[in-house]
Amino acid sequence: MRSNRMKDGLAKAPHRSLFKALGMVDQEIQRPIIGIVNSFNEVVPGHVHLQQIAEAVKAGVRLAGGTPMEFNTIAVCDGIAMNHEGMRYSLASRELIADSIEIMACAHPFDALVFIPNCDKVVPGMLMAAARLNLPSIFISGGPMLAGRFQGQRVSVSTVFEAVGAVSAGRMSMEDLAELEDGACPGCGSCAGMFTANSMNCITEVLGLGLPGNGTIPAVYAARLRLAKQAGMQIMKLLAENIRPSDILTPGAFRNALTADMALGCSTNTVLHLPAIAHYAGVELDLHLVNEISRRTPHLCKLSPAGDHYIEDLHEAGGIQAVLAELAGRGLIDEGAMTVTGRTVGENIRAAVNRRPDVIRTGDHVYAPDGGLAILWGNLAPDGAVVKKAAVLPEMMVHQGPARVFESEETAVEAILAGSIRPGDVVVIRYEGPRGGPGMREMLTPTSALAGRGLDTSVALITDGRFSGASRGASIGHVSPEAADGGPIGLVQEGDQIRIDIPNTTLELLVSEEELANRQKRWQAPPPRVTRGYLAKYVKIVTSANTGAVLQE
């Protein structure tokens, strides 16, 4: 056992004495030591209940003959961090999470790991750590929040963000906003739609590192606790059979993840996180593969914010396993990929049943013949940009209009709420990339403000930052190279015509090459926004969005 390095033999008597200081008896010390990586805190609604999940995991480990030892990581709530300096730290936290887990698991040589994430950067940060460490590993998320209720309609936190724009436009009263605010988020769990957290928890299940149900069983269901106990027991089987992340995170698993991503209409952030996870798994994941898979994958589900269904509906329909079964029936899934069940994807989905074809569409009754995400290319994004086309209205799939240029998210939000943005405009928010932001802030506030003012039918938004999974509309992010690195988005001037053609995956600034070359000569990099602390170090080593914004090694 790997843990023998810290507990066996004469020389480890001092080490054993420290374990006994924790209250352990010899029998516990002698068993396999399983690290329980918990992201519990009292700040994030998706994490506030994770102590209960951890206790269920530890019970499962003990039932199967192991000794669990729990430690914690940080977790940022993207909703609370949105639209202020706090959002600069969200993406950057992903690397700290991965690094802190590596430190704990190497300083204390556990035999295996159980990961308990739930929200946006915690899931990919833990997946990156699992890939790096390559110890027997299993994931059990905290589960999705149930949808809220407002005046007979189901709602979520994204509804509240959009209501801000509606109030500013005089389309909603402050009294109604207060009622919505009280009812939108009814309790613990990751926010109720197919936003980034739930996208990544579903993707974890597709990758094979989470048990069936990991992505969709609601946080408040007892089934979530039972799954946690099963995860605790299953890690002992993975240890016994020496099944590791390198056996699971194969090229086929990543292709499955992208395929399910397209069918589900996941957050654009998956295109940032999957390449980062693949990087540490030693798998090449090029952005061109996204469009290749999208072209052949039908869009099966329209979950909030793209539609009226929520994660609880997807769970009722049969969950991720039912989605995989539908895709496998079309020959789109690598059924031989290994999973933490100890069985292949094909074996796992044999019993899957689609109980709600209105949620997971079948046959020819799909939302679209191609997938929910697209990578756009052109002189405005030579290294690519990403759009959640599943959440774009038909009238905005092709759009041309004048650029309205803003050097930060805050100035753009001020203009939107003040009514300065007109139908037909293309809002450009730059210097918000991984290096320029720094931290590549999410733009849920401006996209929600546009939707709340009824402008999502006529205004596009382009940024070198990124979007929350809760954003909808013609919202194009991850523009690479970013403005801070001298990318063409930094050369756009007020009034320039920009043409967006999502069906043909192009993003063009309609300015001559000669003029762009002249602008490039005059361009000067702005001074860094942050000069002290963690972000100042992050800026120096973070890479571009098209590579997953991983850190240079």
Side-chain angles (χ1 to χ4, degrees):
M1 290 188 294
R2 185 171 180 266
S3 60
N4 286 346
R5 301 175 193 175
M6 61 178 174
K7 66 184 186 183
D8 269 17
L10 174 63
K12 299 302 187 293
H15 305 63
R16 292 191 295 273
S17 72
L18 291 169
F19 282 121
K20 290 178 179 180
L22 299 172
M24 284 191 183
V25 297
D26 287 329
Q27 290 89 335
E28 289 177 291
I29 299 171
Q30 290 161 7
R31 292 174 176 177
I33 306 292
I34 309 301
I36 311 300
V37 190
N38 191 357
S39 55
F40 161 79
N41 66 39
E42 294 183 342
V43 179
V44 187
H47 294 239
V48 72
H49 63 303
L50 295 189
Q51 286 178 311
Q52 190 178 18
I53 298 290
E55 288 304 315
V57 168
K58 289 187 282 188
V61 170
R62 293 188 182 103
L63 281 169
T67 296
M69 297 190 75
E70 180 183 349
F71 63 92
N72 285 79
T73 71
I74 60 172
V76 171
C77 177
D78 279 24
I80 295 173
M82 197 71 65
N83 191 229
H84 59 84
E85 185 183 3
M87 182 47 71
R88 301 189 197 283
Y89 289 87
S90 175
L91 178 61
S93 75
R94 186 187 72 180
E95 319 306 317
L96 276 178
I97 290 163
D99 289 349
S100 66
I101 295 167
E102 178 184 339
I103 288 168
M104 287 297 290
C106 291
H108 316 96
F110 302 113
D111 295 301
L113 297 169
V114 181
F115 293 87
I116 310 175
N118 212 24
C119 289
D120 296 39
K121 308 311 162 303
V122 186
V123 185
M126 287 190 178
L127 286 166
M128 289 158 60
R132 279 190 211 171
L133 293 164
N134 200 33
L135 297 172
S137 299
I138 194 168
F139 281 65
I140 169 66
S141 78
M145 186 185 294
L146 295 175
R149 296 292 188 276
F150 171 68
Q151 297 182 357
Q153 301 294 318
R154 292 194 301 172
V155 295
S156 71
V157 69
S158 67
T159 318
V160 188
F161 273 96
E162 292 185 9
V164 173
V167 170
S168 73
R171 302 169 64 203
M172 185 179 196
S173 70
M174 286 297 295
E175 291 75 19
D176 280 349
L177 176 61
E179 181 185 344
L180 172 61
E181 184 181 320
D182 286 345
C185 300
C188 66
S190 46
C191 296
M194 189 54 84
F195 313 145
T196 304
N198 290 325
S199 294
M200 289 307 304
N201 284 322
C202 290
I203 290 295
T204 300
E205 185 176 334
V206 178
L207 282 170
L209 281 173
L211 292 171
N214 177 73
T216 60
I217 297 173
V220 295
Y221 284 15
R224 175 63 55 178
L225 294 177
R226 295 197 298 270
L227 192 71
K229 287 181 183 177
Q230 289 166 1
M233 291 186 283
Q234 188 62 22
I235 193 63
M236 299 304 294
K237 292 183 180 178
L238 296 172
L239 176 61
E241 297 173 16
N242 197 30
I243 297 175
R244 298 170 181 259
S246 58
D247 301 311
I248 293 170
L249 295 176
T250 61
F254 282 100
R255 286 193 295 271
N256 285 348
L258 282 173
T259 301
D261 192 339
M262 298 305 153
L264 291 165
C266 290
S267 164
T268 52
N269 281 316
T270 60
V271 181
L272 191 67
H273 298 317
L274 280 171
I277 299 160
H279 171 77
Y280 290 109
V283 174
E284 184 177 352
L285 193 62
D286 188 270
L287 286 186
H288 289 89
L289 184 62
V290 175
N291 284 348
E292 178 187 324
I293 290 176
S294 181
R295 280 192 291 270
R296 65 173 184 254
T297 306
H299 184 204
L300 304 180
C301 303
K302 263 194 182 286
L303 301 155
S304 176
D308 296 328
H309 295 137
Y310 290 85
I311 302 298
E312 62 199 77
D313 299 306
L314 180 59
H315 176 63
E316 186 180 313
I320 296 305
Q321 299 303 305
V323 174
L324 292 176
E326 176 64 26
L327 293 169
R330 298 168 184 262
L332 298 174
I333 290 293
D334 180 350
E335 296 187 45
M338 178 55 67
T339 75
V340 290
T341 64
R343 301 185 298 272
T344 64
V345 170
E347 291 170 324
N348 288 342
I349 63 177
R350 281 177 189 163
V353 177
N354 181 359
R355 297 183 180 88
R356 286 190 58 181
D358 63 313
V359 176
I360 306 171
R361 293 199 169 182
T362 61
D364 296 328
H365 190 53
V366 297
Y367 287 104
D370 52 3
L373 298 179
I375 306 298
L376 308 185
W377 312 88
N379 69 345
L380 191 52
D383 293 336
V386 62
V387 62
K388 185 173 181 175
K389 63 181 181 179
V392 179
L393 294 168
E395 57 265 41
M396 290 298 294
M397 296 296 280
V398 176
H399 179 77
Q400 181 175 321
R404 303 295 309 280
V405 181
F406 300 93
E407 309 299 322
S408 71
E409 178 189 4
E410 288 85 354
T411 55
V413 171
E414 287 175 10
I416 295 167
L417 294 180
S420 299
I421 302 303
R422 305 298 181 193
D425 286 348
V426 178
V427 175
V428 176
I429 306 177
R430 62 193 181 191
Y431 297 105
E432 291 288 4
R435 195 183 305 278
M440 204 179 181
R441 291 192 290 177
E442 287 187 346
M443 303 290 166
L444 179 56
T445 298
T447 59
S448 298
L450 288 170
R453 296 182 70 89
L455 292 172
D456 56 321
T457 61
S458 58
V459 172
L461 193 153
I462 298 172
T463 181
D464 52 7
R466 59 196 177 89
F467 296 107
S468 164
S471 289
R472 60 187 177 98
S475 305
I476 299 166
H478 305 200
V479 171
S480 300
E482 62 175 294
D485 283 341
I489 190 172
L491 308 180
V492 181
Q493 294 182 0
E494 187 82 6
D496 284 348
Q497 289 288 310
I498 294 175
R499 180 170 174 79
I500 302 162
D501 188 338
I502 295 173
N504 289 308
T505 64
T506 59
L507 179 61
E508 296 288 342
L509 176 60
L510 302 183
V511 174
S512 70
E513 291 183 13
E514 181 181 5
E515 172 61 18
L516 286 177
N518 289 332
R519 292 181 188 180
Q520 187 75 63
K521 291 175 185 176
R522 298 192 299 269
W523 178 83
Q524 291 184 334
R529 286 173 168 156
V530 179
T531 57
R532 299 179 63 188
Y534 174 62
L535 287 180
K537 293 182 285 186
Y538 180 83
V539 165
K540 295 177 181 178
I541 55 176
V542 69
T543 62
S544 177
N546 66 299
T547 62
V550 296
L551 302 185
Q552 298 174 26
E553 296 181 351

